[in-house]
């Protein structure tokens, strides 16, 4: 049986966040003679699973990549990372990407690999067919697969009845084992091998946290979803389980906020970070993300900003919600969509806390400064 | 984001990297493109009260966009 058929049977989808059918991508890669870029950048906040795959499963990763594209394979890793060093030590062809969020986006890596800047490109057509960037530079056919995805390809192909073995994990519509990185305010941050359908509480527990008694939990990183502690304690980690709350398993990261610190302040640091990570190419993202961050700071400042309590807070919330909607789908990459989702979910999940801020009850200065750094610790 | 109305036309899209926010498109396609608070185009869907500006106006907008950022997406 050929590779695409086995992958089709397994139901493997991309582990980098988009959850697109791997069989479909590999089929297109073969049709167009595309080269493979293995994305081992761990670009998401708190992501460490690509590093985990490279550290513990490198031979399988390399075999998986060879199955897809023969010798036309390059491995992308953040410049200066341990992952980069490991890949180089193994004699692999490494593409060193700047350690910026959107640099690890797939079209950024394709651009970088072809001599351009590590910035997303507009996909006028999928780059697996080749094409050109906005400046008219020619792009040769390239497919990008996340490191965990490539490792899973090798597992599916090499195990006896690999597709069945794979389907023995997870849910019928989200099959297979998956890696999740759990970090933030937990006693034992790290990578857990799990599958869709597990209670999020079990993942929190695996990291030593006490579900229900944590701070709010961010599932899916900078483009993810904020959950209240009680929601995090009862929700199922799957597409179906997280969808009612606006979330998805995404790139497999879970970040727990410190229950002792102000979550509104913590989120302010995330939105600032997001605004700084916009690659500054697309107007709606370049202006929209700083506007979202500044709206959030207004909410955090509450009474200090001179607003008249809850009334002005309501206005500021409506403006933020409107701006979040307005940037959706209007960047070359999905980054603004993700941040918009984070903002909408933060408005919802932290609504009570925002009320406190509007009344001036949660004084931001009371929050230890270190919690900000904590929120962004990779 | 689809601008396809009753007819079977390709969707109008904006290359966001190329677009410089000149707003020429919104002038030529007042029914289907509006500018956001920063001057960048929003392609309106029928659900967002977008009105078809007609083939000629569309072709003109694609031709006159100074950044060659507006294009008809035939792949969708
Ligand atoms: S949407 Fe934002 S992050 Fe993505 S390419 Fe455009 S400016 Fe960069
Ligand atoms: S005319 Fe072209 S460059 Fe100007 S706003 Fe419209 S799409 Fe952007």
């Amino acid at each position: 049986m050929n590779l695409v058929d086995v992958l089709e049977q397994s139901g493997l989808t991309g582990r980098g966040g988009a959850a697109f059918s791997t069989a479909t991508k590999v089929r297109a890669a073969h049709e167009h003679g595309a080269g493979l870029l293995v994305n081992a950048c761990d670009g998401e906040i708190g992501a460490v699973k690509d590093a985990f795959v490279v550290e513990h499963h490198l031979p399988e990763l390399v075999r998986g990549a060879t199955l897809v594209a023969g010798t036309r394979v390059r491995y992308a890793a953040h410049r200066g990372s341990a992952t980069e060093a490991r890949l180089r030590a193994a004699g692999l062809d490494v593409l060193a990407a700047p350690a910026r969020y959107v640099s690890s986006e797939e079209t950024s890596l394709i651009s970088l690999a072809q001599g351009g800047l590590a910035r997303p490109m507009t996909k006028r057509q999928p780059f697996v067919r080749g094409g050109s960037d906005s400046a008219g530079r020619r792009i040769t056919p390239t497919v990008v697969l996340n490191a965990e995805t490539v490792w899973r390809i090798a597992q599916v192909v090499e195990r006896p009845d690999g597709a069945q073995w794979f389907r023995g994990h997870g849910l019928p519509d989200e099959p297979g084992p998956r890696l999740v990185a759990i970090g933030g305010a937990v006693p034992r941050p790290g990578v857990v091998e799990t599958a869709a359908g597990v209670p999020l509480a079990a993942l929190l527990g695996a990291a030593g946290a006490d579900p229900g008694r944590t701070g709010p939990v961010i599932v899916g990183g900078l483009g993810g979803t904020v959950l209240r502690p009680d929601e995090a304690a009862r929700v199922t980690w799957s597409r179906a389980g997280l969808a009612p709350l606006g979330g998805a398993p995404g790139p497999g990261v879970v970040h727990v906020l410190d229950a002792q610190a102000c979550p509104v302040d913590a989120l302010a640091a995330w939105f600032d970070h997001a605004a700084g990570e916009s690659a500054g190419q697309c107007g709606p993202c370049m202006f929209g993300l700083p506007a979202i961050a500044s709206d959030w700071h207004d909410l955090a400042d509450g009474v200090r900003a001179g607003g008249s309590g809850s009334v002005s807070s309501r206005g500021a919330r409506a403006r933020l919600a409107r701006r979040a909607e307005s940037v959706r789908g209007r960047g070359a990459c999905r980054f603004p969509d993700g941040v918009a989702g984070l903002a909408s979910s933060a408005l919802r999940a932290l609504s009570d806390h925002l009320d406190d801020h509007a009344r001036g009850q949660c004084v931001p200065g009371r929050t230890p400064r270190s919690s900000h750094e904590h929120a962004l610790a990779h | 984001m689809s601008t396809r109305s009753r007819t079977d036309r390709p969707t109008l899209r904006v290359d966001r990297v190329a677009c410089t926010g000149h707003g020429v498109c919104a002038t030529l396609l007042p029914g289907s493109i509006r500018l956001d608070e920063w001057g960048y185009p929003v392609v309106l869907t029928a659900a967002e009260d977008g009105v078809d500006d007609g083939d000629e106006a569309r072709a003109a907008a694609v031709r006159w966009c100074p950044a060659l950022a507006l294009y008809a997406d035939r792949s969708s």
Side-chain angles (χ1 to χ4, degrees):
Chain A
M1 200 175 359
N2 79 32
L3 174 62
V4 172
D5 291 338
V6 181
L7 293 177
E8 192 98 63
Q9 279 180 17
S10 73
L12 173 62
T13 58
R15 298 304 199 222
F20 190 76
S21 156
T22 304
T24 304
K25 276 184 110 166
V26 171
R27 183 184 298 116
H30 288 176
E31 276 168 12
H32 298 280
L36 170 64
L37 261 178
V38 179
N39 187 351
C41 285
D42 276 325
E44 187 53 69
I45 288 191
V48 285
K49 72 191 179 71
D50 300 342
F52 179 90
V53 170
V54 169
E55 183 174 355
H56 300 287
H57 304 283
L58 189 55
E60 266 175 315
L61 175 69
V62 172
R63 293 202 299 275
T66 309
L67 283 165
V68 173
T71 55
R72 300 173 54 216
V73 179
R74 298 188 77 184
Y75 296 81
H78 276 165
R79 187 174 296 137
S81 64
T83 302
E84 184 199 11
R86 284 202 176 89
L87 291 166
R88 287 200 194 281
L92 298 167
D93 183 0
V94 176
L95 177 69
R100 297 286 305 268
Y101 189 94
V102 295
S103 299
S104 353
E105 194 269 342
E106 68 173 42
T107 64
S108 297
L109 294 178
I110 296 175
S111 171
L112 181 67
Q114 315 230 349
L117 295 171
R119 286 186 183 167
M121 297 181 289
T122 302
K123 276 196 218 183
R124 293 201 185 196
Q125 64 173 28
F127 285 110
V128 69
R129 289 196 242 154
S132 57
D133 67 9
S134 297
R137 199 161 33 92
R138 171 117 199 93
I139 302 294
T140 59
T142 309
V143 66
V144 180
L145 293 171
N146 167 264
E148 184 190 346
T149 312
V150 176
W151 170 46
R152 299 296 179 199
I153 290 174
Q155 289 186 316
V156 166
V157 171
E158 294 177 350
R159 295 198 180 216
D161 292 323
Q164 257 151 296
W165 161 81
F166 191 80
R167 284 201 169 272
H169 299 80
L171 302 170
D173 61 341
E174 286 177 88
R178 298 191 54 157
L179 298 179
V180 185
I182 306 159
V186 294
R188 293 188 302 277
V191 175
V192 175
E193 182 150 32
T194 183
V198 70
L200 181 55
L203 298 179
L204 298 175
D210 189 359
R213 314 192 67 170
T214 64
V217 175
I218 303 175
V219 177
L222 210 46
T225 302
V226 185
L227 304 178
R228 293 196 315 257
D230 60 303
E231 291 168 337
R234 63 166 190 266
V235 79
T236 300
W237 189 79
S238 69
R239 272 207 306 269
L242 291 163
L245 298 164
V253 287
V254 172
H255 184 97
V256 181
L257 295 176
D258 186 350
Q260 308 307 319
C262 168
V264 174
D265 277 359
L267 261 296
W270 280 57
F271 291 124
D272 285 347
H273 187 64
E277 289 290 302
S278 157
Q281 305 194 96
C282 313
C285 178
M286 177 163 58
F287 292 103
L289 300 194
I292 287 173
S294 130
D295 284 345
W296 189 267
H297 277 282
D298 286 350
L299 290 174
D301 288 348
V303 165
R304 284 192 317 174
S308 50
S310 59
V311 176
S312 78
S313 172
R314 215 167 297 143
R317 282 185 227 192
R319 188 179 59 191
L320 173 48
R322 214 169 38 240
R323 280 184 167 158
E325 274 321 304
S326 84
V327 302
R328 264 186 220 275
R330 293 179 63 233
C333 73
R334 310 286 294 172
F335 184 54
D337 308 35
V339 177
L342 185 72
S344 321
S345 73
L347 281 173
R348 187 194 62 78
L350 304 183
S351 142
D352 291 353
H353 209 93
L354 289 170
D355 291 343
D356 293 346
H357 279 248
R359 288 191 292 262
Q361 283 170 358
C362 184
V363 183
R366 199 173 61 200
T367 308
R369 195 72 208 163
S370 62
S371 71
H372 291 242
E373 280 123 37
H374 192 68
L376 292 178
H378 279 51
Chain B
M1 203 182 294
S2 165
T3 49
R4 201 170 299 202
S5 49
R6 294 115 265 157
T7 55
D8 203 20
R9 290 231 204 78
T11 307
L12 264 194
R13 288 188 197 281
V14 178
D15 180 331
R16 298 289 171 186
V17 176
C19 170
T20 47
H22 289 91
V24 175
C25 53
T27 309
L28 294 172
L29 300 173
S32 49
I33 291 188
R34 77 171 167 77
L35 300 180
D36 68 13
E37 58 182 304
W38 304 288
Y40 292 91
V42 180
V43 185
L44 300 170
T45 63
E48 293 162 328
D49 293 331
V51 178
D52 198 322
D53 291 295
D55 285 342
E56 252 173 70
R58 285 166 57 101
V62 168
R63 194 157 359 104
W64 290 110
C65 165
L68 300 180
L70 197 66
Y71 66 105
D73 184 358
R74 284 157 221 287
S75 68
S76 59

